Amino acid sequence: MLKKTYLIMAFSVCMGYAWGKRSVRKEIRRRNFSARKHLAIYKPWLEKMQRGESIADFIVNKGYKNVAVYGLGKPGVSLIHELRNSAVDIAYIIDQRAEEIFYKDIEVYVLSDGLPQVGAVIITTVNDQRELKEKIMSHMKCDVYTLEEIVME
């Protein structure tokens, strides 16, 4: 009986180790994918800036005076910094963690809130962009762009 208990414990430890190792590998792959997506945005964005172009130019040329920024990760914060001293008004930020976030003088909402009207929403997250774009368009009557679309144009 004791031998059987030890075998079960050893088996459980081995399975836990294998499952944990699998989970770690999965998380590393997810982070690597995210890092590659960030690089795919930042590289053309930097090249655009070196040519004297800006995302604010894109927004103004499309005729928008105010926008909402979806996502307050690194790309979202970078976009806000770029638009701060431009002709574009950042009306608010949309983020799933709105209750946890306070961002200087810009209001932060969740998508399900009753959102004020803006000219466009710019999605700065790198994952699930297509689904997110559809979801935003179902909640709001405005144009929706991904940051990637803007920097690639």
Side-chain angles (χ1 to χ4, degrees):
M1 184 67 172
L2 192 58
K3 192 174 185 180
K4 185 176 180 181
T5 303
Y6 285 135
L7 283 173
I8 291 171
M9 285 175 33
F11 178 74
S12 297
V13 167
C14 289
M15 289 304 295
Y17 174 78
W19 186 258
K21 194 170 180 179
R22 179 178 179 262
S23 296
V24 167
R25 280 195 305 261
K26 192 174 184 180
E27 177 64 16
I28 289 170
R29 279 195 305 273
R30 187 190 66 75
R31 287 186 184 191
N32 284 342
F33 173 78
S34 184
R36 284 192 305 273
K37 291 289 283 183
H38 279 103
L39 184 60
I41 290 172
Y42 279 114
K43 187 175 184 290
W45 191 352
L46 180 59
E47 290 168 353
K48 212 178 215 359
M49 290 171 68
Q50 289 171 338
R51 289 190 306 268
E53 301 171 15
S54 73
I55 292 174
D57 294 337
F58 172 89
I59 295 167
V60 170
N61 290 339
K62 291 286 187 180
Y64 306 121
K65 295 190 182 348
N66 62 358
V67 297
V69 174
Y70 186 99
L72 201 54
K74 289 178 181 149
V77 171
S78 296
L79 177 63
I80 290 167
H81 284 290
E82 181 173 335
L83 297 178
R84 271 279 177 192
N85 299 315
S86 73
V88 178
D89 176 46
I90 303 168
Y92 52 88
I93 299 164
I94 306 168
D95 197 287
Q96 294 176 40
R97 302 170 294 126
E99 288 82 27
E100 306 165 18
I101 297 172
F102 175 78
Y103 192 84
K104 299 178 185 169
D105 57 343
I106 304 173
E107 289 287 329
V108 183
Y109 297 98
V110 293
L111 188 57
S112 59
D113 288 342
L115 301 173
Q117 190 62 39
V118 290
V121 174
I122 301 172
I123 300 171
T124 64
T125 61
V126 296
N127 298 322
D128 305 321
Q129 293 176 341
R130 183 175 297 135
E131 295 86 4
L132 191 52
K133 197 171 190 176
E134 290 171 6
K135 189 174 182 181
I136 292 169
M137 291 171 84
S138 73
H139 280 81
M140 303 176 70
K141 300 283 188 243
C142 67
D143 294 326
V144 180
Y145 297 93
T146 66
L147 184 56
E148 189 173 10
E149 290 170 338
I150 295 171
V151 299
M152 294 301 193
E153 186 170 294

